Amino acid sequence: MSVRTEAPSTEGFSVAKAAAHPPVAGDTAPVRVAIVGLGWAGRSIWLPRLNTHPRFTVAAAVDIDPQARAALAMDPAGAAGIRVLDDPSLLRPDEIDLAVVAVPNHLHSRIAGALLAGGVSVFLEKPVCLSSAEAAELAAAEQEGGAVLLAGSAARHRADVRALYDLSAHCGPLRHVSLGWVRARGIPDAGGWFTDARRSGGGALLDLGWHLLDVAAPLLGSAVFEQVVGTVSADFLGDGAHGAAWRTVGRDQLAAGRFGDVEDTARGFLITDSGVSVSLQACWASHEALDSTVIKVEGGAGTAQLTCTFGFSSNRRDGSVLTHVRDGETAEVPVAAEPVGAEYLRQIDELPALLADPGSRGRAVAEALRAVHAIERLYDSARRPPAAPAGAGSGNPR
């Protein structure tokens, strides 16, 4: 939810159970949605898009922070007809078809799990969970309440990413995937919860890396990572000039010397059980001039590469470039232009059908488990002390 000095307690959190009435296939009635968390994502991404979408009715907005609730109440266009609540436990499945949960990372699985167990279906922003244990808890809650968990995967819904998927099908058997999202300046909320490991669960790897692994998932299918190695660094975290221009909360804390304790850069290399290799680079900040995202798919019969900029940064590349390389020849593949953030509206378009599909239950947790397990192993590798050089003595240095 909105940034707080201390993480709010959720002990005793419960949701009143009632008979749920989820949408059914072919149902054209608006989906009654509640937005849980009125921070930047809730107010800037989800509320305006859901408020104007013909398939949804925003019935409630929830935040424990009175300032966040007051800010919404002062926006006549945004708050019109919406119940503003101070506790997610007030949401009932006979009144709400779907809760969009956009709270700080450490509350994702806790709040989503309580809602699911109470019978309220949930659309959960990434990262869906911070650990494999949390993924298991979400699976149990989904089963207990008979509700459906849907997960944020906006990047998959970009037109250029979908074109990349189509092109990759013509590149032969998959050999390697290169995933890179490098911002020039994009550390979010420096000094706020994003850079506090206790509340965020991690830095650029968990934030940007989750998106990258999510984009790679349809390419890799059910492949399992057998080998994982990673490294992290934080060369830009204390530099206010590298903060995200579109997220200004917490910049005053940089001057006070509170820089955070997460990484601003992560790099990894992973190999699947079928021998496909994956390289990953996720950077909140760098020495580059522009923020850019590069996804490269190498196959036995060709290579597809997408160069663009994910997210909402204003310091972005101009448009998207998709190329196909084969036998020394490079061909540019046309990609439809679309406004920044169009992928979020496209994902919203698909939510009613996913909510009504019985096959959706369990799918989001399974995909989240694969992503978070890879991230856990990358962090584990990065924190492991380096091996001693060959032939090094065992005595203590003097």
Side-chain angles (χ1 to χ4, degrees):
M1 300 180 185
S2 298
V3 175
R4 295 171 63 94
T5 304
E6 296 296 331
S9 171
T10 56
E11 292 184 4
F13 184 94
S14 62
V15 180
K17 292 188 177 183
H21 299 285
V24 297
D27 189 0
T28 58
V31 176
R32 301 166 299 177
V33 65
I35 297 175
V36 182
L38 298 175
W40 182 84
R43 290 287 304 277
S44 300
I45 298 178
W46 301 113
L47 181 59
R49 289 170 173 82
L50 288 165
N51 241 348
T52 56
H53 199 287
R55 289 301 315 276
F56 293 87
T57 295
V58 180
V62 187
D63 204 301
I64 61 173
D65 188 339
Q67 292 184 341
R69 298 195 302 273
L72 179 63
M74 292 175 62
D75 180 3
I82 300 175
R83 287 190 302 150
V84 181
L85 308 174
D86 62 1
D87 191 333
S89 67
L90 299 174
L91 300 177
R92 298 174 56 88
D94 58 346
E95 299 173 340
I96 298 295
D97 301 312
L98 182 68
V100 174
V101 176
V103 297
N105 291 356
H106 70 289
L107 294 176
H108 276 198
S109 66
R110 220 181 306 175
I111 289 180
L115 289 166
L116 289 166
V120 178
S121 292
V122 170
F123 173 84
L124 183 56
E125 263 282 26
K126 65 85 197 164
V128 171
C129 52
L130 303 185
S131 67
S132 299
E134 287 188 354
E137 292 168 0
L138 284 171
E142 191 180 32
Q143 184 68 25
E144 177 186 350
V148 176
L149 175 65
L150 305 176
S153 57
R156 287 194 206 176
H157 292 76
R158 291 174 58 100
D160 51 10
V161 169
R162 291 186 169 184
L164 174 68
Y165 290 153
D166 291 341
L167 181 58
S168 299
H170 301 284
C171 291
L174 183 63
R175 304 303 185 201
H176 177 75
V177 180
S178 177
L179 308 165
W181 186 351
V182 178
R183 290 176 178 168
R185 295 172 298 279
I187 299 174
D189 296 355
W193 70 261
F194 256 103
T195 54
D196 176 3
R198 182 176 62 90
R199 292 180 290 170
S200 65
L205 175 57
L206 191 66
D207 181 29
L208 308 185
W210 188 289
H211 281 291
L212 294 173
L213 290 169
D214 186 69
V215 166
L219 297 168
L220 299 172
S222 59
V224 175
F225 292 119
E226 288 191 340
Q227 301 178 56
V228 176
V229 62
T231 183
V232 297
S233 57
D235 297 320
F236 304 95
L237 201 62
D239 185 351
H242 284 84
W246 65 99
R247 299 182 65 100
T248 57
V249 176
R251 284 192 175 184
D252 57 329
Q253 298 190 40
L254 284 171
R258 295 192 289 272
F259 305 148
D261 56 355
V262 297
E263 80 283 353
D264 57 43
T265 298
R267 299 175 178 88
F269 197 81
L270 310 92
I271 301 177
T272 72
D273 51 355
S274 60
V276 176
S277 57
V278 177
S279 61
L280 182 147
Q281 183 179 17
C283 306
W284 273 345
S286 69
H287 296 290
E288 298 296 324
L290 296 174
D291 298 1
S292 65
T293 308
V294 180
I295 312 294
K296 186 176 183 180
V297 181
E298 299 180 30
T303 297
Q305 178 171 308
L306 171 64
T307 303
C308 59
T309 303
F310 282 3
F312 291 91
S313 169
S314 57
N315 185 44
R316 59 196 306 115
R317 288 180 173 273
D318 184 15
S320 301
V321 177
L322 179 62
T323 59
H324 181 217
V325 180
R326 181 172 183 176
D327 296 332
E329 298 291 331
T330 300
E332 185 171 332
V333 178
V335 177
E338 61 183 359
V340 174
E343 63 269 28
Y344 289 89
L345 183 58
R346 193 172 290 117
Q347 184 168 22
I348 287 173
D349 289 341
E350 297 183 3
L351 289 181
L354 291 173
L355 191 60
D357 180 5
S360 294
R361 185 169 293 119
R363 188 182 302 154
V365 173
E367 292 192 354
L369 181 59
R370 285 195 290 271
V372 78
H373 189 216
I375 289 171
E376 286 175 323
R377 294 177 66 188
L378 286 165
Y379 275 134
D380 179 61
S381 172
R383 291 162 183 158
R384 197 176 302 147
S394 59
N396 292 327
R398 293 182 180 273

